[in-house]
Amino acid sequence: MDIRELRYFAAVYHARNLTAAARACFVSQPSISTAITNLEAELGTTLFIRHKKGVAPTASAEQFHALARSIIDQADAARGMFRKPSTKTTVTLGMMRTLDVPRTIALLKPLTVRADIALRLVGSDERADARIISKSMLRTDEHFVALWSERYVAALPPSHPLTLKDKLRAADLADVPLIDRCHCERSEFFSRTAQRRQPAAIAQSEDWAMALVAAGVGIAIVPEGVAKGNPDVTVREIEVKVRREVGLAYRAAAPLADVLRDFVAQLQKRRRKPDRSRPRR
């Protein structure tokens, strides 16, 4: 086995999807599949079970992941040990707080792996060289590079009676406890379409919202990417047709630094690649 195969394994383990892992590693899906097949042959065990929505790690994968992650981290540390100090370009990136973890990792990796960049993250409303935001947050003096579009869905406790329905109407949510997300960029829209009520809880982060849903506190309306990778909640489509478009925004009057221009080019190239992965329902 080699370090590249271990990196591909770690990407699949995290994404639970071969297409998403390939996109995160900037390679083709066959490259990912070949690496996993080689590892399984060398280890003499099955690492992932394929199903129509992606893959599920086996007990062997759970056991192997900690070791693989350790090897990858040590290899990266060894590589950095003997590199000569170089002049770094500081890049300040504003990030909205409602991004899901897999996409956040995929977005930031191209910047963090570069030895010539010192990455600094700030809130989406702070001064930055560029911002990862929903298009609804775009300022009049900014350009916008679209990255992905996603719908909003309902995240429910797995045992909730509403999981028996394929799609939820506004009337279905009239008398159920709801969890508000204090950083939701579409809160104004949802407040117009929903009845006024006291929320069951107000979540300070997306992870906290999903934890409250899994615990049975209530239902949360969230971007699909936030909910679909969480095995402790059930996702259902909602009748309200509202989506968000997420992308990179930067000031139109100020030219982009070279490192950010390269970053934008990578993001645009990735967006042109078809995503054949199906959302988790």
Side-chain angles (χ1 to χ4, degrees), residues 49-60:
I49 302 298
R50 275 71 168 176
H51 55 77
K52 62 180 181 180
K53 297 178 182 178
V55 297
T58 63
S60 295

Side-chain angles (χ1 to χ4, degrees), residues 63-83:
Q63 185 178 5
F64 182 60
H65 179 258
L67 178 60
R69 189 68 259 173
S70 176
I71 294 172
I72 293 169
D73 291 341
Q74 289 182 33
D76 290 342
R79 186 179 297 110
M81 182 182 298
F82 300 103
R83 282 180 175 169

Side-chain angles (χ1 to χ4, degrees), residues 43 81 236 242 279:
L43 295 172
M81 182 182 298
R236 288 293 178 266
V242 58

Side-chain angles (χ1 to χ4, degrees), residues 152-175:
Y152 282 78
V153 296
L156 304 91
S159 60
H160 198 285
L162 288 179
T163 59
L164 299 177
K165 295 189 174 185
D166 292 330
K167 179 186 291 188
L168 303 184
R169 301 173 300 152
D172 294 325
L173 305 175
D175 298 314

